[in-house]
Amino acid sequence: MTRLPKRLAVFDCDGTLVDGQADVCWAMERAFTRAGLEAPDNHAVRRIVGLSLPAAVRALAPALSEDENRAVTEFYRSSFRARREEGLLDEPLYEGIADLLRDLHAGGWQLAVATGKSDRGLAACLAGHGIADLFISLQTADRHPSKPHPAMLEAALFEAGAAREETVMIGDTSFDMVMARSIGVAAIGVGWGYHGAAELLASGAAQVVETAAALAVALEETLP
């Protein structure tokens, strides 16, 4: 029996589906302060969105000891969790993303997420926007090494039963692009996130789009 081709679109979350930079910057500043350390500036924090939390803290402050890194990481998690429980998180979907996801799903695409968020954080984010049921696979930093290691992308392919040539990674950072290209998966960058277009292209993006409508066209061109 001939296997029918599948089309899998794997999305990053922060900076690609939702804009959570304000809460990320707030939680990181609070975590460093609670640990008695100087907080990094917000520009530096936005640059590491997409990495798993310990890797992000290490990138922001490489001189920290393992104990200090662990303390900042735990303070970040507890601060972010409390903010969510208090209903204060603001992670709006980018313009046009909800319609794009629903259109892709209706058109036969399989959808997945590969993110530096935790399982709990991703589940709450997607459920809050009413889009959780659109995704066949959710891969997070809780169960995989940090991007750009390809483990979470490989797991998404496995769960979807899709081949590498049937898959596109969509993200806003160089971590997403390097992750995809390291295993031969097509990569499309989005220009509304946290790394610039030139950096995305240099990291392996086939193209960088500026709107959800343009992303829909790019996906159809990549996997017609």
Side-chain angles (χ1 to χ4, degrees), residues 72-92:
V72 173
T73 297
E74 290 307 314
F75 282 139
Y76 181 99
R77 286 176 175 147
S78 62
S79 297
F80 209 88
R81 182 167 56 249
R83 197 166 179 85
R84 181 187 303 114
E85 291 171 351
E86 293 167 8
L88 298 176
L89 279 187
D90 184 25
E91 298 179 302

Side-chain angles (χ1 to χ4, degrees), residues 4-29:
L4 294 176
K6 297 183 178 181
R7 296 190 296 177
L8 172 65
V10 184
F11 290 85
D12 171 54
C13 188
D14 288 305
T16 301
L17 297 178
V18 303
D19 184 4
Q21 63 175 303
D23 291 309
V24 170
C25 290
W26 174 87
M28 195 64 77
E29 179 179 0

Side-chain angles (χ1 to χ4, degrees), residues 39-104:
D41 66 57
N42 288 345
H43 174 72
V45 174
R46 285 190 289 269
R47 293 274 316 156
I48 54 79
V49 172
L51 297 175
S52 65
L53 189 51
V57 174
R58 193 174 303 114
L60 289 169
L64 294 186
S65 68
E66 286 300 312
D67 286 343
E68 289 173 323
N69 183 294
R70 192 176 301 111
V72 173
T73 297
E74 290 307 314
F75 282 139
Y76 181 99
R77 286 176 175 147
S78 62
S79 297
F80 209 88
R81 182 167 56 249
R83 197 166 179 85
R84 181 187 303 114
E85 291 171 351
E86 293 167 8
L88 298 176
L89 279 187
D90 184 25
E91 298 179 302
L93 289 169
Y94 286 103
E95 183 177 357
I97 288 296
D99 287 341
L100 169 67
L101 294 173
R102 294 190 177 99
D103 288 347
L104 290 172

Side-chain angles (χ1 to χ4, degrees), residues 49-210:
V49 172
L51 297 175
S52 65
L53 189 51
V57 174
R58 193 174 303 114
L60 289 169
L64 294 186
S65 68
E66 286 300 312
D67 286 343
E68 289 173 323
N69 183 294
R70 192 176 301 111
V72 173
T73 297
E74 290 307 314
F75 282 139
Y76 181 99
R77 286 176 175 147
S78 62
S79 297
F80 209 88
R81 182 167 56 249
R83 197 166 179 85
R84 181 187 303 114
E85 291 171 351
E86 293 167 8
L88 298 176
L89 279 187
D90 184 25
E91 298 179 302
L93 289 169
Y94 286 103
E95 183 177 357
I97 288 296
D99 287 341
L100 169 67
L101 294 173
R102 294 190 177 99
D103 288 347
L104 290 172
H105 187 266
W109 283 78
Q110 296 189 98
L111 307 179
V113 176
T115 177
K117 279 184 176 295
S118 66
D119 285 334
R120 178 185 299 178
L122 178 61
C125 177
L126 299 181
H129 290 298
I131 57 175
D133 61 338
L134 300 177
F135 296 94
I136 193 171
S137 178
L138 302 176
Q139 305 300 327
T140 75
D142 283 349
R143 289 167 284 115
H144 299 287
S146 177
K147 296 175 184 177
H149 192 286
M152 64 176 71
L153 184 53
E154 290 173 328
L157 269 70
F158 177 79
E159 290 191 359
R164 297 179 183 189
E165 62 270 17
E166 299 169 329
T167 302
V168 184
M169 178 71 208
I170 303 101
D172 68 298
T173 70
S174 60
F175 316 129
D176 300 307
M177 305 299 104
V178 172
M179 177 176 67
R181 299 316 295 257
S182 71
I183 59 169
V185 168
I188 297 175
V190 299
W192 53 77
Y194 306 142
H195 288 185
E199 186 173 2
L200 295 174
L201 292 168
S203 300
Q207 59 180 301
V208 178
V209 297
E210 297 296 335

